[in-house]
Each structure stands twice: as C-alpha cells, then as structure tokens.
Amino acid sequence: FEWWISKHDAQGNVQKETKFPGKSGILCSGPNDSYVMTYDRENSTMKQDIHLKAVNTDLTELWDLPVATVEVGINPFRVVPAPAETFIVVGVKALKVWVARIDQQGNKTEMSLGENEKLLHNCFDLISVDDAIYILASMYSEDLQKRVNYKLTLIKLRLK
C-alpha cells in the first residue's frame, strides 16, 4: 500500500507529489506552514499501525511518530490541531472512541470514552472549534435482556 500528497498551482497542475508507504492518510494544517496527517503503516487489511507525520509546504517530511496499534481494525484515525503545537488524534480501539493528545516529540496522553458503550464501525467525526474538540459518535450498548440501544453522542473535550 502507498498513499501520496500533492501540491498544485492555481490552475490545478501538479507542482510536487510525494508518496509514503501505508494507507488511509487524513490531513490537517499544522504549525509553521506545515501539514500533519494520520496514516496506517500496516500492510495487513486487519491490523493497524497508526502514525502521525508532518511535512512542510515543499512536502518534505519533518517528523513521523507512532500513535496507536490496533490488532483488529480498519477504522480511520482523524487528526486536528490543538494549542501549544500539539494534535488531537481520534480513532477506534476495542470498539471504543479513543482519543490522544500528542506533541511533536511523541509525548502522548490517551484515553478511551464511553465506558459501557461501543462505537458503531467507522461512525464518528470530529471538529475543532476555539478551545474545544467535538466528537460526534454513533454508539450502542446492550441491556441485561440483550436488547441493543443506539444513540448519537456528542462529546466535548475542552483543550487547555
């Protein structure tokens, strides 16, 4: 597997294209005219080895950090910028919404959300607004009678 990022002029002509090993790249703006992306370096279709990579405006790699390993999963991991040149990465681990805050040195604080609830496959999105991250997730849980309850959950994480 490989994925690429390309830079185009105003007429849509490719000025530069860079390829990376892996799959499922998702991009956001980074600090100092850079771009930061999450991508999966695993060649398997079941396991995931999620990394965070930064490139400058010439598409030259600045750094690449491991983020998460998932034994069984094919879900995207999304990224948004956060204060103090950190990034919030959100994905799915063990059917839970998984969130990590990562800096450029690889320091990471992580947590899972929804203690008794599971995330429906690939059914989440996130947005960064001012000093908060909002995660919209389609979750489900089972009661004691094995009835499944579905709900749409909006999670707000305040950034400091």
mmCIF file with all atom_site columns, all heavy atoms in Angstrom, residues 9 15 62 65 77 81 87 131 135 152 158-159:
data_model
loop_
_atom_site.group_PDB
_atom_site.id
_atom_site.type_symbol
_atom_site.label_atom_id
_atom_site.label_alt_id
_atom_site.label_comp_id
_atom_site.label_asym_id
_atom_site.label_entity_id
_atom_site.label_seq_id
_atom_site.pdbx_PDB_ins_code
_atom_site.Cartn_x
_atom_site.Cartn_y
_atom_site.Cartn_z
_atom_site.occupancy
_atom_site.B_iso_or_equiv
_atom_site.pdbx_formal_charge
_atom_site.auth_seq_id
_atom_site.auth_comp_id
_atom_site.auth_asym_id
_atom_site.auth_atom_id
_atom_site.pdbx_PDB_model_num
ATOM 1   N N   . ASP A 1 9   ? -0.767  24.075 -8.398  1.00 0.00 ? 9   ASP A N   1
ATOM 2   C CA  . ASP A 1 9   ? -0.832  25.524 -8.608  1.00 0.00 ? 9   ASP A CA  1
ATOM 3   C C   . ASP A 1 9   ? -2.298  25.933 -8.777  1.00 0.00 ? 9   ASP A C   1
ATOM 4   O O   . ASP A 1 9   ? -3.200  25.085 -8.725  1.00 0.00 ? 9   ASP A O   1
ATOM 5   C CB  . ASP A 1 9   ? 0.050   25.955 -9.782  1.00 0.00 ? 9   ASP A CB  1
ATOM 6   C CG  . ASP A 1 9   ? -0.402  25.400 -11.126 1.00 0.00 ? 9   ASP A CG  1
ATOM 7   O OD1 . ASP A 1 9   ? -1.564  24.955 -11.257 1.00 0.00 ? 9   ASP A OD1 1
ATOM 8   O OD2 . ASP A 1 9   ? 0.418   25.407 -12.065 1.00 0.00 ? 9   ASP A OD2 1
ATOM 9   N N   . GLN A 1 15  ? 2.519   20.452 -8.888  1.00 0.00 ? 15  GLN A N   1
ATOM 10  C CA  . GLN A 1 15  ? 3.850   21.027 -8.743  1.00 0.00 ? 15  GLN A CA  1
ATOM 11  C C   . GLN A 1 15  ? 4.806   20.037 -8.094  1.00 0.00 ? 15  GLN A C   1
ATOM 12  O O   . GLN A 1 15  ? 5.979   20.005 -8.421  1.00 0.00 ? 15  GLN A O   1
ATOM 13  C CB  . GLN A 1 15  ? 3.793   22.308 -7.904  1.00 0.00 ? 15  GLN A CB  1
ATOM 14  C CG  . GLN A 1 15  ? 3.065   23.434 -8.582  1.00 0.00 ? 15  GLN A CG  1
ATOM 15  C CD  . GLN A 1 15  ? 3.051   24.675 -7.723  1.00 0.00 ? 15  GLN A CD  1
ATOM 16  O OE1 . GLN A 1 15  ? 2.852   24.611 -6.520  1.00 0.00 ? 15  GLN A OE1 1
ATOM 17  N NE2 . GLN A 1 15  ? 3.277   25.820 -8.359  1.00 0.00 ? 15  GLN A NE2 1
ATOM 18  N N   . LEU A 1 62  ? 9.007   16.249 8.017   1.00 0.00 ? 62  LEU A N   1
ATOM 19  C CA  . LEU A 1 62  ? 9.605   16.904 9.181   1.00 0.00 ? 62  LEU A CA  1
ATOM 20  C C   . LEU A 1 62  ? 9.779   15.916 10.333  1.00 0.00 ? 62  LEU A C   1
ATOM 21  O O   . LEU A 1 62  ? 10.787  15.935 11.019  1.00 0.00 ? 62  LEU A O   1
ATOM 22  C CB  . LEU A 1 62  ? 8.744   18.089 9.629   1.00 0.00 ? 62  LEU A CB  1
ATOM 23  C CG  . LEU A 1 62  ? 8.533   19.180 8.581   1.00 0.00 ? 62  LEU A CG  1
ATOM 24  C CD1 . LEU A 1 62  ? 7.528   20.202 9.072   1.00 0.00 ? 62  LEU A CD1 1
ATOM 25  C CD2 . LEU A 1 62  ? 9.870   19.839 8.242   1.00 0.00 ? 62  LEU A CD2 1
ATOM 26  N N   . LEU A 1 65  ? 5.731   9.982  13.877  1.00 0.00 ? 65  LEU A N   1
ATOM 27  C CA  . LEU A 1 65  ? 5.607   9.420  15.226  1.00 0.00 ? 65  LEU A CA  1
ATOM 28  C C   . LEU A 1 65  ? 4.589   8.284  15.257  1.00 0.00 ? 65  LEU A C   1
ATOM 29  O O   . LEU A 1 65  ? 3.519   8.393  14.656  1.00 0.00 ? 65  LEU A O   1
ATOM 30  C CB  . LEU A 1 65  ? 5.127   10.495 16.210  1.00 0.00 ? 65  LEU A CB  1
ATOM 31  C CG  . LEU A 1 65  ? 5.990   11.733 16.365  1.00 0.00 ? 65  LEU A CG  1
ATOM 32  C CD1 . LEU A 1 65  ? 5.232   12.795 17.136  1.00 0.00 ? 65  LEU A CD1 1
ATOM 33  C CD2 . LEU A 1 65  ? 7.284   11.370 17.072  1.00 0.00 ? 65  LEU A CD2 1
ATOM 34  N N   . PHE A 1 77  ? -8.257  7.094  11.599  1.00 0.00 ? 77  PHE A N   1
ATOM 35  C CA  . PHE A 1 77  ? -7.871  7.886  12.759  1.00 0.00 ? 77  PHE A CA  1
ATOM 36  C C   . PHE A 1 77  ? -7.758  9.315  12.255  1.00 0.00 ? 77  PHE A C   1
ATOM 37  O O   . PHE A 1 77  ? -7.006  9.589  11.331  1.00 0.00 ? 77  PHE A O   1
ATOM 38  C CB  . PHE A 1 77  ? -6.543  7.400  13.335  1.00 0.00 ? 77  PHE A CB  1
ATOM 39  C CG  . PHE A 1 77  ? -6.673  6.207  14.229  1.00 0.00 ? 77  PHE A CG  1
ATOM 40  C CD1 . PHE A 1 77  ? -7.064  4.985  13.720  1.00 0.00 ? 77  PHE A CD1 1
ATOM 41  C CD2 . PHE A 1 77  ? -6.422  6.311  15.586  1.00 0.00 ? 77  PHE A CD2 1
ATOM 42  C CE1 . PHE A 1 77  ? -7.194  3.876  14.539  1.00 0.00 ? 77  PHE A CE1 1
ATOM 43  C CE2 . PHE A 1 77  ? -6.552  5.209  16.421  1.00 0.00 ? 77  PHE A CE2 1
ATOM 44  C CZ  . PHE A 1 77  ? -6.938  4.000  15.900  1.00 0.00 ? 77  PHE A CZ  1
ATOM 45  N N   . PRO A 1 81  ? -5.503  20.062 14.815  1.00 0.00 ? 81  PRO A N   1
ATOM 46  C CA  . PRO A 1 81  ? -4.501  20.783 15.598  1.00 0.00 ? 81  PRO A CA  1
ATOM 47  C C   . PRO A 1 81  ? -5.083  21.214 16.941  1.00 0.00 ? 81  PRO A C   1
ATOM 48  O O   . PRO A 1 81  ? -6.283  21.434 17.072  1.00 0.00 ? 81  PRO A O   1
ATOM 49  C CB  . PRO A 1 81  ? -4.165  21.991 14.727  1.00 0.00 ? 81  PRO A CB  1
ATOM 50  C CG  . PRO A 1 81  ? -5.305  22.151 13.789  1.00 0.00 ? 81  PRO A CG  1
ATOM 51  C CD  . PRO A 1 81  ? -5.943  20.812 13.633  1.00 0.00 ? 81  PRO A CD  1
ATOM 52  N N   . PHE A 1 87  ? -1.466  17.942 18.876  1.00 0.00 ? 87  PHE A N   1
ATOM 53  C CA  . PHE A 1 87  ? -2.500  17.467 17.968  1.00 0.00 ? 87  PHE A CA  1
ATOM 54  C C   . PHE A 1 87  ? -3.398  16.496 18.708  1.00 0.00 ? 87  PHE A C   1
ATOM 55  O O   . PHE A 1 87  ? -2.941  15.750 19.568  1.00 0.00 ? 87  PHE A O   1
ATOM 56  C CB  . PHE A 1 87  ? -1.869  16.771 16.755  1.00 0.00 ? 87  PHE A CB  1
ATOM 57  C CG  . PHE A 1 87  ? -0.920  17.665 16.041  1.00 0.00 ? 87  PHE A CG  1
ATOM 58  C CD1 . PHE A 1 87  ? 0.421   17.679 16.366  1.00 0.00 ? 87  PHE A CD1 1
ATOM 59  C CD2 . PHE A 1 87  ? -1.387  18.544 15.087  1.00 0.00 ? 87  PHE A CD2 1
ATOM 60  C CE1 . PHE A 1 87  ? 1.290   18.539 15.743  1.00 0.00 ? 87  PHE A CE1 1
ATOM 61  C CE2 . PHE A 1 87  ? -0.522  19.414 14.450  1.00 0.00 ? 87  PHE A CE2 1
ATOM 62  C CZ  . PHE A 1 87  ? 0.820   19.410 14.780  1.00 0.00 ? 87  PHE A CZ  1
ATOM 63  N N   . ASP A 1 131 ? -11.497 26.551 21.698  1.00 0.00 ? 131 ASP A N   1
ATOM 64  C CA  . ASP A 1 131 ? -10.675 25.801 22.660  1.00 0.00 ? 131 ASP A CA  1
ATOM 65  C C   . ASP A 1 131 ? -11.272 24.431 22.975  1.00 0.00 ? 131 ASP A C   1
ATOM 66  O O   . ASP A 1 131 ? -11.063 23.890 24.053  1.00 0.00 ? 131 ASP A O   1
ATOM 67  C CB  . ASP A 1 131 ? -10.498 26.602 23.946  1.00 0.00 ? 131 ASP A CB  1
ATOM 68  C CG  . ASP A 1 131 ? -11.810 26.821 24.688  1.00 0.00 ? 131 ASP A CG  1
ATOM 69  O OD1 . ASP A 1 131 ? -12.882 26.638 24.067  1.00 0.00 ? 131 ASP A OD1 1
ATOM 70  O OD2 . ASP A 1 131 ? -11.776 27.154 25.877  1.00 0.00 ? 131 ASP A OD2 1
ATOM 71  N N   . ILE A 1 135 ? -16.625 15.578 19.296  1.00 0.00 ? 135 ILE A N   1
ATOM 72  C CA  . ILE A 1 135 ? -16.655 14.274 18.648  1.00 0.00 ? 135 ILE A CA  1
ATOM 73  C C   . ILE A 1 135 ? -18.113 13.855 18.547  1.00 0.00 ? 135 ILE A C   1
ATOM 74  O O   . ILE A 1 135 ? -18.809 13.799 19.555  1.00 0.00 ? 135 ILE A O   1
ATOM 75  C CB  . ILE A 1 135 ? -15.864 13.222 19.451  1.00 0.00 ? 135 ILE A CB  1
ATOM 76  C CG1 . ILE A 1 135 ? -14.426 13.689 19.656  1.00 0.00 ? 135 ILE A CG1 1
ATOM 77  C CG2 . ILE A 1 135 ? -15.913 11.869 18.752  1.00 0.00 ? 135 ILE A CG2 1
ATOM 78  C CD1 . ILE A 1 135 ? -13.664 12.867 20.670  1.00 0.00 ? 135 ILE A CD1 1
ATOM 79  N N   . LEU A 1 152 ? -26.899 8.665  19.297  1.00 0.00 ? 152 LEU A N   1
ATOM 80  C CA  . LEU A 1 152 ? -25.930 9.564  18.713  1.00 0.00 ? 152 LEU A CA  1
ATOM 81  C C   . LEU A 1 152 ? -25.380 10.410 19.857  1.00 0.00 ? 152 LEU A C   1
ATOM 82  O O   . LEU A 1 152 ? -26.135 11.045 20.585  1.00 0.00 ? 152 LEU A O   1
ATOM 83  C CB  . LEU A 1 152 ? -26.607 10.445 17.664  1.00 0.00 ? 152 LEU A CB  1
ATOM 84  C CG  . LEU A 1 152 ? -25.720 11.236 16.741  1.00 0.00 ? 152 LEU A CG  1
ATOM 85  C CD1 . LEU A 1 152 ? -24.782 10.309 15.968  1.00 0.00 ? 152 LEU A CD1 1
ATOM 86  C CD2 . LEU A 1 152 ? -26.558 12.035 15.774  1.00 0.00 ? 152 LEU A CD2 1
ATOM 87  N N   . ARG A 1 158 ? -12.595 19.947 26.256  1.00 0.00 ? 158 ARG A N   1
ATOM 88  C CA  . ARG A 1 158 ? -12.016 21.290 26.322  1.00 0.00 ? 158 ARG A CA  1
ATOM 89  C C   . ARG A 1 158 ? -10.492 21.180 26.294  1.00 0.00 ? 158 ARG A C   1
ATOM 90  O O   . ARG A 1 158 ? -9.911  20.388 26.996  1.00 0.00 ? 158 ARG A O   1
ATOM 91  C CB  . ARG A 1 158 ? -12.481 22.000 27.586  1.00 0.00 ? 158 ARG A CB  1
ATOM 92  C CG  . ARG A 1 158 ? -12.046 23.454 27.643  1.00 0.00 ? 158 ARG A CG  1
ATOM 93  C CD  . ARG A 1 158 ? -12.763 24.224 28.723  1.00 0.00 ? 158 ARG A CD  1
ATOM 94  N NE  . ARG A 1 158 ? -14.185 24.269 28.542  1.00 0.00 ? 158 ARG A NE  1
ATOM 95  C CZ  . ARG A 1 158 ? -14.834 25.132 27.749  1.00 0.00 ? 158 ARG A CZ  1
ATOM 96  N NH1 . ARG A 1 158 ? -14.141 25.988 27.048  1.00 0.00 ? 158 ARG A NH1 1
ATOM 97  N NH2 . ARG A 1 158 ? -16.127 25.137 27.656  1.00 0.00 ? 158 ARG A NH2 1
ATOM 98  N N   . LEU A 1 159 ? -9.878  21.993 25.462  1.00 0.00 ? 159 LEU A N   1
ATOM 99  C CA  . LEU A 1 159 ? -8.427  21.996 25.326  1.00 0.00 ? 159 LEU A CA  1
ATOM 100 C C   . LEU A 1 159 ? -7.822  23.103 26.163  1.00 0.00 ? 159 LEU A C   1
ATOM 101 O O   . LEU A 1 159 ? -8.333  24.210 26.192  1.00 0.00 ? 159 LEU A O   1
ATOM 102 C CB  . LEU A 1 159 ? -8.033  22.185 23.863  1.00 0.00 ? 159 LEU A CB  1
ATOM 103 C CG  . LEU A 1 159 ? -8.578  21.158 22.896  1.00 0.00 ? 159 LEU A CG  1
ATOM 104 C CD1 . LEU A 1 159 ? -8.239  21.557 21.476  1.00 0.00 ? 159 LEU A CD1 1
ATOM 105 C CD2 . LEU A 1 159 ? -8.013  19.790 23.222  1.00 0.00 ? 159 LEU A CD2 1
#
